[in-house]
Amino acid sequence: MGNQNIAIESDLLHIFPDILFHDERAGYEGYIIKPAHLLSFMQRLRDDLGYDYLSSVTGVDYLPEERMEVVYHVRKSIGGSPLVVKAQLSRDNPMISSVVSIYPGAEFQEREAWDLLGIKFEGHPDLRRILMWEGFSGHPLRKDWKEGYFEEDGKPFKSRWPAGHYKSAEEKNPLGTNLDFPAGFNPESWVPEPEVALYAGLTKIERKDEETGISTEQVIVNMGPQHPSTHGVFRMAAKLDGETVVGLKPVVGYLHRNHEKIGERNTYLGNMPYTDRLDYFNSMSNNFGYALAVEKLMGINPPERAEYIRVMMAELTRIVNHLALFGFLLNDLGAYFTPFLYAFEERELILDIFEAVSGSRMMCNYFRFGGVARDLPEGSLEKIKDLVFDRLPRKIADLDLYITNNEIVRHRSEGVGVLTPEQAIAYSTVGPVLRASGVPYDLRRAQPYSIYNRFDFDVAVRYHGDVYDRYLVRLDEMFQSLRILQQVLRDLPEGSIQEGKPQYQVRVPAGESYGCVEGPKGELGFYIISNGKPNPWRYHVRAPSFINLTPLESMCIGSKIADVVVILGSIDIVLGETDR
Amino acid sequence: MSDQRDNYMFGLGVLKGLGLAFRHFLETYLDDIRHWGKRYKSPEGIAYRASKDVRGIFTVQYPDEKIPVPEEFRFVPFLIYEEKDGVNEYRCTSCGICAKVCPPQCIWIVRASDPNTGRPIPDPADFYIDIDICMNCGYCAEYCPFDAIKMDHNYELASYERTHNVYDKTKLGKPVSYYASIRPINYQREETARIEAESQRAVRKSHA
């Protein structure tokens, strides 16, 4: 397959003469497409060349060159590395055709690029802001946009040393003068507008029964942002016909903190603990993806022992995540907190290990470029062995025994929220959501990273695409993770855990890189552009929780409002990552 | 695994689930009897409830009981000083590496200077950490070349006012003996390395 890939890729320039060019910049890969031909190119890429799976769409602001770039990572659902295609636009009025008609999975990602970078996508069905609120002025990821407590473009700030006379941000910007309004805006006389644009997508229809003469009206119900079933601050505006959902728009961004802008201010190393806070259940696998992306740019590889420890932590994290999800999902199904606490008991034992190894239960910050922070402390390996060989298999089998065939669980979840394999690929879903729809796509096999090609494990896959299968896929995955862990523990070599000397100021050569891991929620990617300075020029997170929400509406239409809770639970979102 | 979709357990599933909860309930009391008098408020009891063998209830009744934290546990940095003739000598040389590596930039250092010459001297005149901003990442301790700043184990920092949360040099300072008590393994390793480095330096000096 590898050879075939190369053949097609060398042919690409022949298939698309005069519209496609190699990206010749040092450290860059992929192709540059003329923006006017984007749609016809993407259409052929998908239909004739097998690139049916759009992984990521994002933008980059090249302020010094007065240019805006849209970057597409397109994959084949049969595996392989992504094809990177870029379109270069003018910075003053960046405009490009939307690819939503070809890859529906681009919908939210293009909205994000519009919101944060101001790139207009012509032909997008619903181009509204997504993370910032309607009425926000400016596009925060543009390089000339500055935040409220702006100090300097990049850390470390000069005011901290050697004359670091402490001054809090509030002192420097006292209340009342710390706000910056657009010209002509008066907060006293401002009346909030109803969310016209949001509800425009949910037009109500009135129906009249001919026989009885009773007319029924559809109602719009807002679930969230403060609703226990949304697992955080997430809102769904659902249009209901009786109890049946006929339309649904997710509203996100309540936890938005512009993680990417913060990342661009941070040093490379300084950003590692911030990645912990994306999907706060799985800080280890967030660290993993970020470390891979930066290591690719630096051209270093961690030593053997560090690789094994990394895989060990990533797989333990997967078990933690799926256990937590089982707890939450069963809460959503009405099994109030008993199964949740049983699942959390196992999670606690794994977090004890994380605490002993990394120093923190959830915000692990354990990975470093070219290794891990420290070796396993004495005694923790025995604890891990006890869990992996004895307790976890027993307890997960228990969960299987008590939940899997429980009639209430099955009645509530079978046939609910169905996503067909074609839809799952088109909507760019990843992880267990994709695999429950019968697409055996797992990055650990599709584009093996780290040392995953050494281990014997199966890609868990189920074929009905409903909530029940998403549950089963995760159950299977936990057993597969245990299999990997058992091999890791068998083969774990002695040796160093860090390549070279630990450095606090890493030198990252100019270029771009995309590092991705199969996190517990799916493909978690970090797209980084370096210009050789201590801070990244662009830092983008391809967040699985965010992109997996794209098909939420089509999964919910036709089901009852009570099922929406379960469907959302089965996608497994964490708002820290969705909203970034 | 085979497709189990025709494998319903009508009524039985609910009973099984209730049975599990009931078993768990009984096991809690059996555990209590088995560990009579030792299950609560004793180190063995807490260790048992945090072990893989726990069967009944596993909750630890904070704040009456506290799980001992592992050595690597990290929570808010402190500065190490050595007590020499009643004077607290800080190990910090105000080199500024911790302030530079700090991801949220919560460390502020004023480097001391000689009052006569005005030249900087390796000693912090002031050292502030805004612990409201500190994210407990542990980088300052990890990259400090002088083992002068370390992460603490004390996680009970609630205070009545926000202004109490900017720690100055005095509040951050703790003696070496405290460090040795919370992180004995790390302390031993660093001391051995230091003694070795010093003896090597002595050897080099005698050769020269």
Side-chain angles (χ1 to χ4, degrees), chain B residues 106-118:
Chain B
C106 68
I107 302 179
W108 304 66
I109 306 169
V110 182
R111 189 168 56 190
S113 51
D114 194 308
N116 299 321
T117 59

Side-chain angles (χ1 to χ4, degrees), chain A residues 417-443:
Chain A
V418 176
L419 198 65
T420 64
E422 293 76 25
Q423 278 177 317
I425 292 175
Y427 279 116
S428 304
T429 57
V430 285
V433 178
L434 178 66
R435 289 192 286 275
S437 291
V439 184
Y441 186 87
D442 185 321
L443 276 179

